[in-house]
Coordinates of all heavy atoms in Angstrom, one line a residue:
M1 N 80.7 125.0 97.5 CA 81.9 124.2 97.5 C 81.9 123.2 96.4 O 80.9 122.5 96.2 CB 82.0 123.6 98.9 CG 83.2 122.7 99.1 SD 83.3 121.8 100.6 CE 83.3 123.1 101.8
G2 N 82.9 123.1 95.6 CA 83.1 122.2 94.5 C 83.2 120.8 95.0 O 83.6 120.6 96.2
I3 N 82.9 119.8 94.2 CA 82.9 118.4 94.6 C 84.4 118.0 94.9 O 84.6 117.2 95.9 CB 82.3 117.5 93.6 CG1 82.0 116.1 94.2 CG2 83.2 117.3 92.3 CD1 80.9 115.4 93.6
E4 N 85.4 118.6 94.3 CA 86.8 118.2 94.5 C 87.2 118.6 96.0 O 87.9 118.0 96.6 CB 87.7 118.9 93.5 CG 87.5 118.5 92.1 CD 86.4 119.3 91.4 OE1 86.0 120.3 91.9 OE2 86.0 118.8 90.3
A5 N 86.6 119.8 96.4 CA 87.0 120.2 97.7 C 86.3 119.4 98.8 O 86.8 119.4 100.0 CB 86.5 121.7 97.9
Q6 N 85.2 118.7 98.5 CA 84.5 117.9 99.5 C 85.2 116.5 99.7 O 85.1 116.0 100.8 CB 83.1 117.6 99.1 CG 82.2 118.9 99.0 CD 80.8 118.6 98.5 OE1 80.3 117.6 98.7 NE2 80.3 119.6 97.9
F7 N 85.9 116.0 98.7 CA 86.5 114.7 98.9 C 88.0 114.8 98.9 O 88.6 115.5 98.1 CB 86.0 113.8 97.7 CG 84.5 113.6 97.8 CD1 83.7 114.2 96.9 CD2 84.0 112.6 98.7 CE1 82.3 114.0 97.0 CE2 82.7 112.4 98.7 CZ 81.8 113.1 97.9
Q8 N 88.6 114.1 99.8 CA 90.1 114.1 99.9 C 90.6 112.8 99.2 O 89.9 111.8 99.2 CB 90.5 114.2 101.3 CG 90.3 115.4 102.0 CD 90.7 115.4 103.4 OE1 90.2 114.6 104.2 NE2 91.6 116.3 103.8
K9 N 91.9 112.8 98.8 CA 92.5 111.6 98.3 C 92.8 110.7 99.5 O 92.9 111.2 100.6 CB 93.8 112.0 97.6 CG 93.6 112.8 96.3 CD 94.9 113.1 95.6 CE 94.6 113.9 94.4 NZ 95.9 114.4 93.8
V10 N 93.0 109.4 99.2 CA 93.3 108.4 100.2 C 94.6 108.9 101.1 O 94.6 108.8 102.3 CB 93.5 107.1 99.7 CG1 94.0 106.1 100.7 CG2 92.2 106.6 99.1
E11 N 95.6 109.3 100.3 CA 96.8 109.7 101.0 C 96.6 110.9 102.0 O 97.2 110.9 103.1 CB 97.9 110.2 100.0 CG 98.4 109.1 99.1 CD 97.4 108.7 97.9 OE1 96.4 109.4 97.7 OE2 97.8 107.7 97.2
E12 N 95.7 111.8 101.6 CA 95.4 112.9 102.5 C 94.6 112.4 103.7 O 94.8 112.8 104.9 CB 94.6 114.0 101.8 CG 95.4 114.7 100.7 CD 94.5 115.5 99.8 OE1 93.3 115.4 99.8 OE2 95.2 116.3 99.0
K13 N 93.8 111.4 103.5 CA 93.0 110.8 104.6 C 94.0 110.1 105.6 O 93.8 110.2 106.8 CB 92.0 109.9 104.1 CG 90.8 110.5 103.5 CD 89.8 110.9 104.6 CE 88.5 111.3 103.9 NZ 87.6 111.9 104.9
L14 N 94.9 109.4 105.0 CA 95.9 108.6 105.9 C 96.7 109.5 106.9 O 97.0 109.1 107.9 CB 96.8 107.8 105.0 CG 96.2 106.6 104.3 CD1 97.2 105.9 103.4 CD2 95.7 105.6 105.3
Y15 N 96.9 110.7 106.4 CA 97.7 111.6 107.2 C 96.9 112.1 108.5 O 97.5 112.6 109.4 CB 98.2 112.8 106.4 CG 99.4 112.5 105.7 CD1 99.4 112.6 104.3 CD2 100.6 112.2 106.3 CE1 100.5 112.3 103.5 CE2 101.8 111.9 105.6 CZ 101.7 112.0 104.2 OH 102.8 111.7 103.4
Q16 N 95.6 111.9 108.4 CA 94.8 112.2 109.6 C 94.9 111.2 110.7 O 94.6 111.5 111.9 CB 93.3 112.4 109.1 CG 93.1 113.6 108.2 CD 91.7 113.7 107.8 OE1 90.8 112.9 108.2 NE2 91.4 114.6 106.9
N17 N 95.3 110.0 110.4 CA 95.5 109.0 111.4 C 96.7 109.3 112.3 O 97.7 109.9 111.9 CB 95.6 107.6 110.8 CG 94.3 107.2 110.0 OD1 93.2 107.6 110.4 ND2 94.5 106.5 108.9
R18 N 96.8 108.7 113.4 CA 97.9 108.7 114.2 C 98.4 107.3 114.6 O 97.5 106.4 114.7 CB 97.6 109.5 115.6 CG 97.3 110.9 115.4 CD 98.5 111.7 114.9 NE 98.1 113.1 114.5 CZ 97.9 113.5 113.3 NH1 98.0 112.6 112.3 NH2 97.5 114.7 113.0
Y19 N 99.7 107.1 114.7 CA 100.2 105.8 114.9 C 101.2 105.8 116.1 O 102.1 106.6 116.0 CB 100.9 105.3 113.6 CG 101.1 103.8 113.7 CD1 100.2 102.9 113.2 CD2 102.3 103.3 114.3 CE1 100.4 101.5 113.4 CE2 102.6 102.0 114.4 CZ 101.6 101.1 113.9 OH 101.8 99.7 114.0
L20 N 101.0 105.0 117.0 CA 101.9 104.9 118.2 C 102.8 103.7 118.0 O 102.3 102.5 118.0 CB 101.2 104.9 119.5 CG 102.0 105.0 120.7 CD1 102.8 106.3 120.7 CD2 101.1 105.0 122.0
V21 N 104.0 103.9 117.7 CA 105.0 102.8 117.5 C 105.3 102.1 118.8 O 105.7 102.7 119.8 CB 106.3 103.3 116.8 CG1 107.3 102.2 116.6 CG2 106.0 103.9 115.5
D22 N 105.3 100.7 118.7 CA 105.7 99.9 119.9 C 107.1 99.5 119.5 O 107.3 98.4 118.9 CB 104.7 98.7 120.0 CG 105.0 98.0 121.3 OD1 105.8 98.4 122.1 OD2 104.2 97.0 121.6
A23 N 108.0 100.3 119.9 CA 109.5 100.1 119.4 C 110.0 98.7 119.9 O 109.8 98.2 121.0 CB 110.4 101.1 120.1
G24 N 110.5 98.0 118.9 CA 111.1 96.7 119.1 C 110.1 95.6 119.2 O 110.4 94.4 119.5
Q25 N 108.8 95.9 119.0 CA 107.7 94.9 119.1 C 106.8 94.9 117.9 O 105.6 95.2 118.0 CB 106.9 95.2 120.4 CG 107.7 95.2 121.6 CD 107.5 93.9 122.5 OE1 107.0 92.9 121.9 NE2 108.0 93.9 123.7
P26 N 107.4 94.6 116.7 CA 106.5 94.7 115.5 C 105.4 93.7 115.6 O 105.7 92.5 116.0 CB 107.5 94.4 114.4 CG 108.6 93.6 115.0 CD 108.7 94.1 116.4
H27 N 104.2 94.0 115.2 CA 103.1 93.1 115.4 C 102.9 92.2 114.1 O 102.1 91.3 114.2 CB 101.8 93.8 115.7 CG 101.3 94.7 114.6 ND1 101.8 95.9 114.2 CD2 100.2 94.5 113.7 CE1 101.1 96.5 113.3 NE2 100.2 95.6 112.9
I28 N 103.7 92.5 113.1 CA 103.7 91.6 111.9 C 105.1 91.3 111.6 O 106.0 92.2 111.6 CB 103.1 92.3 110.7 CG1 101.6 92.8 111.0 CG2 103.0 91.4 109.5 CD1 101.0 93.6 109.9
K29 N 105.4 90.0 111.4 CA 106.8 89.6 111.0 C 106.7 88.7 109.8 O 105.8 87.9 109.7 CB 107.4 88.8 112.2 CG 107.6 89.7 113.4 CD 108.2 88.8 114.6 CE 108.3 89.7 115.8 NZ 108.7 88.8 116.9
I30 N 107.7 88.8 109.0 CA 107.8 88.0 107.8 C 108.7 86.8 108.1 O 109.9 87.1 108.6 CB 108.3 88.7 106.5 CG1 107.3 89.9 106.2 CG2 108.5 87.8 105.4 CD1 107.8 90.8 105.1
A31 N 108.4 85.6 107.7 CA 109.3 84.5 108.0 C 110.5 84.6 107.0 O 110.3 85.1 105.8 CB 108.5 83.2 107.7
P32 N 111.6 84.1 107.4 CA 112.8 84.1 106.5 C 112.5 83.4 105.2 O 111.8 82.4 105.2 CB 113.9 83.4 107.2 CG 113.5 83.5 108.7 CD 112.0 83.5 108.7
H33 N 112.8 84.0 104.1 CA 112.6 83.3 102.8 C 113.6 83.7 101.8 O 114.2 84.7 101.9 CB 111.2 83.7 102.2 CG 111.1 85.2 102.1 ND1 110.8 86.1 103.1 CD2 111.2 86.0 101.0 CE1 110.7 87.3 102.7 NE2 111.0 87.3 101.4
E34 N 113.8 82.8 100.8 CA 114.8 83.0 99.8 C 114.1 83.8 98.7 O 114.6 84.8 98.2 CB 115.3 81.6 99.1 CG 116.0 80.8 100.1 CD 117.5 80.8 99.9 OE1 117.9 81.1 98.8 OE2 118.2 80.7 100.9
K35 N 112.9 83.3 98.3 CA 112.2 84.0 97.2 C 110.7 84.1 97.7 O 110.2 83.1 98.1 CB 112.3 83.1 95.9 CG 111.7 83.8 94.7 CD 111.9 82.9 93.5 CE 111.1 83.4 92.3 NZ 110.7 82.5 91.4
P36 N 110.1 85.3 97.6 CA 108.8 85.4 98.1 C 107.7 84.7 97.2 O 107.9 84.6 96.0 CB 108.5 86.9 98.1 CG 109.5 87.4 97.0 CD 110.7 86.5 97.1
S37 N 106.6 84.3 97.8 CA 105.6 83.7 97.0 C 104.9 84.8 96.3 O 105.1 86.0 96.6 CB 104.6 83.1 98.0 OG 103.9 84.0 98.7
K38 N 104.0 84.5 95.4 CA 103.3 85.5 94.7 C 102.4 86.4 95.6 O 102.3 87.6 95.4 CB 102.3 84.9 93.6 CG 103.0 84.4 92.4 CD 102.0 83.8 91.4 CE 102.7 83.3 90.1 NZ 101.8 82.7 89.2
N39 N 101.8 85.7 96.6 CA 101.0 86.5 97.5 C 101.8 87.5 98.3 O 101.4 88.7 98.5 CB 100.2 85.5 98.5 CG 99.0 84.9 97.9 OD1 98.7 85.1 96.7 ND2 98.3 84.2 98.6
L40 N 103.0 87.0 98.8 CA 103.8 87.9 99.6 C 104.3 89.0 98.8 O 104.3 90.2 99.2 CB 104.9 87.1 100.3 CG 105.8 87.9 101.2 CD1 105.0 88.5 102.4 CD2 106.9 87.0 101.8
L41 N 104.8 88.7 97.6 CA 105.2 89.8 96.6 C 104.1 90.8 96.3 O 104.3 92.0 96.2 CB 105.8 89.2 95.4 CG 106.6 90.1 94.4 CD1 107.7 90.8 95.2 CD2 107.1 89.3 93.2
A42 N 102.9 90.3 96.2 CA 101.8 91.1 95.8 C 101.5 92.2 97.0 O 101.0 93.2 96.7 CB 100.5 90.3 95.6
M43 N 101.9 91.8 98.2 CA 101.6 92.8 99.3 C 102.4 94.1 99.1 O 102.0 95.1 99.6 CB 102.0 92.1 100.6 CG 101.1 91.0 101.1 SD 99.4 91.4 100.9 CE 99.2 93.0 101.8
T44 N 103.5 94.0 98.3 CA 104.2 95.3 98.0 C 103.3 96.3 97.2 O 103.7 97.5 97.1 CB 105.5 95.0 97.3 OG1 105.3 94.4 96.0 CG2 106.4 94.1 98.1
H45 N 102.3 95.7 96.6 CA 101.4 96.6 95.9 C 100.0 96.7 96.6 O 99.3 97.7 96.4 CB 101.1 96.0 94.4 CG 102.4 95.9 93.7 ND1 103.0 97.0 93.2 CD2 103.1 94.8 93.3 CE1 104.1 96.6 92.5 NE2 104.2 95.3 92.6
L46 N 99.6 95.8 97.4 CA 98.3 95.7 97.9 C 98.1 96.4 99.3 O 97.0 97.0 99.6 CB 97.8 94.3 98.1 CG 97.6 93.5 96.8 CD1 97.3 92.0 97.2 CD2 96.6 94.1 95.9
C47 N 99.2 96.4 100.1 CA 99.0 97.1 101.4 C 98.7 98.5 101.2 O 99.5 99.3 100.7 CB 100.4 96.9 102.2 SG 100.3 97.7 103.7
P48 N 97.6 98.9 101.8 CA 97.2 100.3 101.6 C 98.1 101.3 102.4 O 98.1 102.5 102.1 CB 95.7 100.4 102.2 CG 95.7 99.2 103.2 CD 96.6 98.2 102.6
A49 N 98.8 100.8 103.3 CA 99.7 101.7 104.1 C 101.2 101.6 103.6 O 102.0 102.3 104.1 CB 99.7 101.3 105.6
G50 N 101.4 100.8 102.6 CA 102.7 100.7 102.0 C 103.8 100.2 103.0 O 105.0 100.5 102.9
C51 N 103.4 99.2 103.8 CA 104.2 98.6 104.8 C 105.3 97.6 104.2 O 106.3 97.4 104.7 CB 103.5 97.9 105.9 SG 102.5 99.1 106.9
Y52 N 104.8 97.0 103.0 CA 105.7 96.0 102.4 C 106.5 96.6 101.3 O 106.0 97.4 100.5 CB 104.8 94.8 101.9 CG 104.2 94.0 102.9 CD1 103.0 94.3 103.6 CD2 104.8 92.8 103.3 CE1 102.4 93.6 104.5 CE2 104.2 92.0 104.3 CZ 103.1 92.4 104.9 OH 102.5 91.6 105.9
T53 N 107.8 96.2 101.3 CA 108.6 96.6 100.2 C 109.5 95.5 99.7 O 109.7 94.5 100.4 CB 109.6 97.8 100.6 OG1 110.3 97.3 101.8 CG2 108.9 99.0 100.9
E54 N 109.9 95.5 98.5 CA 110.8 94.5 97.9 C 112.2 95.0 97.9 O 112.5 96.1 97.3 CB 110.3 94.1 96.4 CG 111.1 93.1 95.9 CD 110.8 92.7 94.4 OE1 109.9 93.5 93.9 OE2 111.3 91.8 93.9
A55 N 113.1 94.2 98.6 CA 114.4 94.7 98.7 C 115.2 94.3 97.4 O 114.7 93.6 96.6 CB 115.1 93.9 99.9
E56 N 116.4 94.9 97.2 CA 117.2 94.6 96.0 C 117.5 93.1 95.9 O 117.6 92.6 94.8 CB 118.4 95.4 96.0 CG 118.2 96.9 95.8 CD 119.6 97.7 95.6 OE1 120.6 97.0 95.4 OE2 119.5 98.9 95.6
S57 N 117.5 92.5 97.0 CA 117.8 91.0 97.0 C 116.6 90.2 96.5 O 116.7 89.0 96.2 CB 118.1 90.5 98.4 OG 116.9 90.7 99.3
G58 N 115.4 90.9 96.3 CA 114.3 90.2 95.8 C 113.4 89.7 97.0 O 112.2 89.3 96.8
Q59 N 113.8 89.8 98.2 CA 113.1 89.4 99.4 C 112.1 90.5 99.8 O 112.4 91.7 99.5 CB 114.0 89.0 100.5 CG 114.9 87.8 100.2 CD 115.9 87.6 101.2 OE1 116.5 88.6 101.8 NE2 116.2 86.3 101.6
V60 N 111.0 90.1 100.4 CA 110.1 91.1 100.8 C 110.3 91.5 102.3 O 110.6 90.6 103.1 CB 108.6 90.6 100.6 CG1 107.6 91.6 101.2 CG2 108.4 90.4 99.2
E61 N 110.3 92.8 102.6 CA 110.5 93.2 103.9 C 109.3 94.0 104.4 O 108.4 94.5 103.6 CB 111.7 94.2 104.0 CG 113.0 93.5 103.5 CD 114.2 94.5 103.4 OE1 113.9 95.7 103.3 OE2 115.3 94.0 103.4
I62 N 109.1 94.1 105.7 CA 108.0 94.9 106.2 C 108.4 95.9 107.3 O 109.3 95.6 108.1 CB 106.9 93.9 106.8 CG1 105.7 94.8 107.2 CG2 107.4 93.1 108.0 CD1 104.5 93.9 107.6
A63 N 107.9 97.0 107.3 CA 108.0 98.0 108.4 C 106.5 98.3 108.8 O 105.8 98.9 108.1 CB 108.6 99.3 107.9
A64 N 106.1 97.6 109.9 CA 104.7 97.6 110.2 C 104.2 99.0 110.8 O 103.0 99.1 111.1 CB 104.4 96.5 111.2
D65 N 105.1 99.9 111.0 CA 104.6 101.2 111.4 C 103.7 101.9 110.4 O 104.0 101.9 109.2 CB 105.8 102.2 111.6 CG 106.9 101.6 112.6 OD1 106.6 100.6 113.2 OD2 108.0 102.2 112.6
G66 N 102.5 102.2 110.9 CA 101.6 102.8 110.0 C 100.6 101.8 109.5 O 99.6 102.2 108.7
C67 N 100.7 100.6 109.9 CA 99.8 99.5 109.5 C 98.3 99.9 109.9 O 98.1 100.4 111.1 CB 100.2 98.2 110.2 SG 98.8 96.9 110.1
L68 N 97.4 99.8 109.0 CA 96.0 100.1 109.3 C 95.2 99.0 109.8 O 94.0 99.1 110.1 CB 95.4 100.6 107.9 CG 96.1 101.8 107.2 CD1 95.5 102.0 105.9 CD2 95.9 103.0 108.1
E69 N 95.8 97.9 110.1 CA 95.1 96.7 110.6 C 94.0 96.2 109.7 O 92.9 95.8 110.2 CB 94.7 96.9 112.0 CG 95.9 97.1 113.0 CD 95.5 97.5 114.4 OE1 94.3 97.2 114.8 OE2 96.3 98.2 115.0
C70 N 94.1 96.4 108.4 CA 93.1 96.0 107.5 C 92.9 94.5 107.3 O 91.9 94.0 107.0 CB 93.3 96.7 106.1 SG 94.6 96.0 105.1
G71 N 94.0 93.8 107.6 CA 93.9 92.3 107.5 C 94.2 91.7 106.2 O 94.2 90.5 106.0
T72 N 94.5 92.5 105.1 CA 94.7 92.0 103.8 C 95.9 91.0 103.8 O 95.8 89.9 103.3 CB 95.0 93.1 102.8 OG1 93.9 94.0 102.8 CG2 95.2 92.6 101.4
C73 N 97.0 91.4 104.4 CA 98.2 90.5 104.4 C 97.9 89.3 105.3 O 98.4 88.2 105.0 CB 99.5 91.2 104.9 SG 99.4 91.9 106.5
R74 N 97.1 89.5 106.3 CA 96.8 88.3 107.1 C 96.0 87.2 106.3 O 96.3 86.1 106.5 CB 95.9 88.8 108.3 CG 95.7 87.8 109.4 CD 95.0 88.4 110.6 NE 95.1 87.4 111.7 CZ 94.6 87.6 112.9 NH1 93.9 88.8 113.1 NH2 94.7 86.8 113.8
V75 N 95.0 87.7 105.5 CA 94.3 86.8 104.7 C 95.1 86.1 103.7 O 95.0 84.9 103.5 CB 93.1 87.5 104.0 CG1 92.4 86.7 103.0 CG2 92.1 88.1 105.1
L76 N 96.0 86.8 103.1 CA 96.8 86.3 101.9 C 98.0 85.5 102.4 O 98.4 84.5 101.7 CB 97.3 87.4 101.0 CG 96.2 88.0 100.1 CD1 96.8 89.2 99.3 CD2 95.6 86.9 99.2
C77 N 98.6 85.8 103.5 CA 99.9 85.2 103.8 C 100.1 84.6 105.2 O 101.1 83.9 105.5 CB 101.0 86.3 103.8 SG 101.1 87.2 102.1
E78 N 99.1 84.7 106.1 CA 99.3 84.1 107.4 C 99.1 82.6 107.4 O 99.9 81.9 108.0 CB 98.3 84.7 108.4 CG 98.6 84.3 109.8 CD 97.7 84.8 110.9 OE1 96.5 84.9 110.6 OE2 98.1 85.2 111.9
E79 N 98.1 82.1 106.7 CA 97.8 80.7 106.7 C 98.9 79.9 106.1 O 99.2 78.7 106.4 CB 96.5 80.4 105.9 CG 95.8 79.1 106.3 CD 94.4 79.0 105.8 OE1 93.6 79.6 106.4 OE2 94.2 78.3 104.8
T80 N 99.7 80.5 105.1 CA 100.7 79.8 104.5 C 102.0 79.9 105.3 O 103.0 79.3 105.0 CB 101.1 80.4 103.1 OG1 101.4 81.8 103.3 CG2 99.9 80.3 102.2
G81 N 102.0 80.6 106.4 CA 103.1 80.6 107.4 C 104.1 81.7 106.9 O 105.2 81.8 107.5
E82 N 103.8 82.4 105.9 CA 104.8 83.4 105.5 C 104.9 84.6 106.4 O 106.0 85.3 106.5 CB 104.4 84.0 104.1 CG 104.5 82.8 103.1 CD 103.9 83.3 101.8 OE1 102.6 83.3 101.6 OE2 104.7 83.5 100.8
I83 N 103.8 84.9 107.1 CA 103.9 86.0 108.1 C 103.2 85.5 109.4 O 102.5 84.6 109.4 CB 103.2 87.3 107.6 CG1 101.7 87.1 107.5 CG2 103.8 87.8 106.3 CD1 100.9 88.4 107.3
T84 N 103.6 86.2 110.5 CA 102.8 86.1 111.7 C 102.2 87.4 111.9 O 102.8 88.5 111.7 CB 103.8 85.7 112.9 OG1 104.8 86.6 113.0 CG2 104.3 84.3 112.7
W85 N 101.0 87.4 112.3 CA 100.2 88.6 112.4 C 99.5 88.6 113.8 O 98.8 87.7 114.1 CB 99.1 88.6 111.3 CG 98.5 90.0 110.9 CD1 98.8 90.7 109.9 CD2 97.5 90.7 111.6 NE1 98.0 91.8 109.8 CE2 97.2 91.8 110.9 CE3 96.8 90.4 112.8 CZ2 96.3 92.8 111.3 CZ3 95.9 91.4 113.2 CH2 95.6 92.5 112.5
N86 N 99.7 89.7 114.5 CA 99.0 89.9 115.8 C 98.5 91.4 115.8 O 99.2 92.2 115.2 CB 99.9 89.6 117.0 CG 100.2 88.2 117.1 OD1 99.5 87.3 117.4 ND2 101.5 87.8 116.7
Y87 N 97.5 91.6 116.6 CA 97.2 93.1 116.8 C 98.3 93.6 117.7 O 98.9 92.9 118.5 CB 95.9 93.2 117.5 CG 94.7 92.9 116.6 CD1 93.9 91.8 116.6 CD2 94.3 93.9 115.7 CE1 92.9 91.6 115.8 CE2 93.2 93.7 114.8 CZ 92.5 92.6 114.9 OH 91.5 92.4 114.1
P88 N 98.5 95.0 117.5 CA 99.5 95.6 118.4 C 99.0 95.5 119.9 O 97.9 95.3 120.2 CB 99.5 97.1 117.9 CG 98.9 97.0 116.6 CD 98.0 95.9 116.5
R89 N 100.0 95.6 120.8 CA 99.7 95.6 122.2 C 98.7 96.8 122.5 O 98.7 97.8 121.7 CB 100.9 95.7 123.0 CG 101.8 94.5 123.0 CD 102.9 94.6 124.0 NE 103.7 95.8 123.9 CZ 104.4 96.2 125.0 NH1 104.4 95.7 126.1 NH2 105.2 97.3 124.8
G90 N 98.0 96.7 123.5 CA 97.0 97.7 123.9 C 97.7 99.1 124.0 O 98.8 99.2 124.6
G91 N 97.0 100.0 123.4 CA 97.6 101.4 123.4 C 98.5 101.7 122.3 O 98.8 102.9 122.1
Y92 N 99.0 100.8 121.5 CA 99.8 101.0 120.4 C 99.1 100.7 119.1 O 98.0 100.1 119.1 CB 101.1 100.0 120.5 CG 101.9 100.3 121.7 CD1 101.8 99.6 122.8 CD2 102.9 101.4 121.6 CE1 102.7 99.9 123.9 CE2 103.7 101.6 122.7 CZ 103.6 100.9 123.9 OH 104.4 101.2 124.9
G93 N 99.7 101.2 118.1 CA 99.2 101.0 116.7 C 98.4 102.1 116.2 O 98.6 103.3 116.6
I94 N 97.5 101.8 115.3 CA 96.7 102.9 114.6 C 95.7 103.5 115.5 O 95.0 102.9 116.3 CB 96.1 102.3 113.3 CG1 95.6 103.4 112.4 CG2 95.1 101.3 113.6 CD1 96.6 104.2 111.7
L95 N 95.6 104.8 115.4 CA 94.5 105.6 116.0 C 93.7 106.3 114.9 O 94.2 107.2 114.3 CB 95.0 106.5 117.0 CG 93.9 107.5 117.7 CD1 92.9 106.7 118.5 CD2 94.6 108.5 118.5
F96 N 92.5 105.7 114.6 CA 91.8 106.4 113.4 C 91.1 107.6 113.9 O 90.5 107.7 115.0 CB 90.8 105.4 112.9 CG 91.4 104.2 112.2 CD1 91.5 103.0 112.8 CD2 91.8 104.3 110.9 CE1 92.0 101.9 112.2 CE2 92.4 103.2 110.2 CZ 92.5 102.0 110.9
K97 N 91.2 108.6 113.0 CA 90.4 109.9 113.3 C 89.4 110.0 112.2 O 89.7 109.8 111.0 CB 91.4 111.0 113.2 CG 92.4 111.0 114.4 CD 93.3 112.2 114.3 CE 92.7 113.4 114.8 NZ 93.6 114.6 114.7
F98 N 88.2 110.3 112.6 CA 87.2 110.4 111.7 C 86.7 111.8 111.5 O 86.7 112.6 112.4 CB 85.9 109.5 112.1 CG 86.2 108.1 112.2 CD1 86.5 107.6 113.4 CD2 86.2 107.3 111.1 CE1 86.8 106.2 113.6 CE2 86.5 106.0 111.2 CZ 86.8 105.4 112.5
G99 N 86.4 112.2 110.3 CA 85.9 113.6 110.0 C 87.0 114.4 109.4 O 88.1 114.0 109.1
Ligands
LIG1 FE1 99.2 96.6 105.3 FE2 96.7 95.9 106.0 FE3 98.7 94.2 106.3 FE4 98.6 96.3 107.9 S1 97.1 94.6 107.9 S2 100.5 95.6 106.9 S3 97.7 97.9 106.5 S4 98.0 94.9 104.4

């Protein structure tokens, strides 16, 4: 087996996970803002699950479905009050599959 066949790309690995959406109860919320800070804007590139997007208005939006709970946005944006971050309720959120 060639080395390429042994290793999958990150995107292929992410598809192995399962995510249970807690409808109407997002575990991450962005505070209303006119213009995002550098950190919040950076999340549109840093979030490994692609949860953050920049709207045409220039504001940053989040769709927390698929969040890997890596904590990157929590470290960069929670202390400044730009986001509120909680773990999903029990039974909801990411279910990692290994192998
Ligand atoms: Fe993205 Fe990680 Fe923040 Fe979840 S915790 S929204 S995966 S940066």
Side-chain angles (χ1 to χ4, degrees):
M1 179 184 298
I3 195 153
E4 296 84 13
Q6 294 177 31
F7 295 101
Q8 292 178 301
K9 293 178 181 174
V10 171
E11 291 80 7
E12 292 168 346
K13 286 279 191 186
L14 287 175
Y15 279 117
Q16 294 180 358
N17 297 324
R18 295 291 171 263
Y19 193 90
L20 189 58
V21 176
D22 192 0
Q25 304 258 9
H27 67 285
I28 303 171
K29 294 178 186 170
I30 298 177
H33 58 279
E34 298 258 331
K35 189 177 170 206
S37 69
K38 283 184 182 174
N39 281 4
L40 186 56
L41 191 57
M43 289 315 306
T44 63
H45 301 288
L46 296 177
C47 173
C51 294
Y52 288 84
T53 55
E54 184 180 6
E56 283 187 16
S57 63
Q59 295 169 323
V60 173
E61 299 174 341
I62 186 169
D65 301 352
C67 168
L68 302 171
E69 299 173 21
C70 72
T72 304
C73 60
R74 188 174 196 181
V75 170
L76 285 178
C77 304
E78 187 182 42
E79 202 168 281
T80 58
E82 295 169 286
I83 67 167
T84 54
W85 199 106
N86 294 287
Y87 283 106
R89 293 192 300 158
Y92 293 98
I94 190 76
L95 173 65
F96 291 102
K97 294 179 77 177
F98 300 97

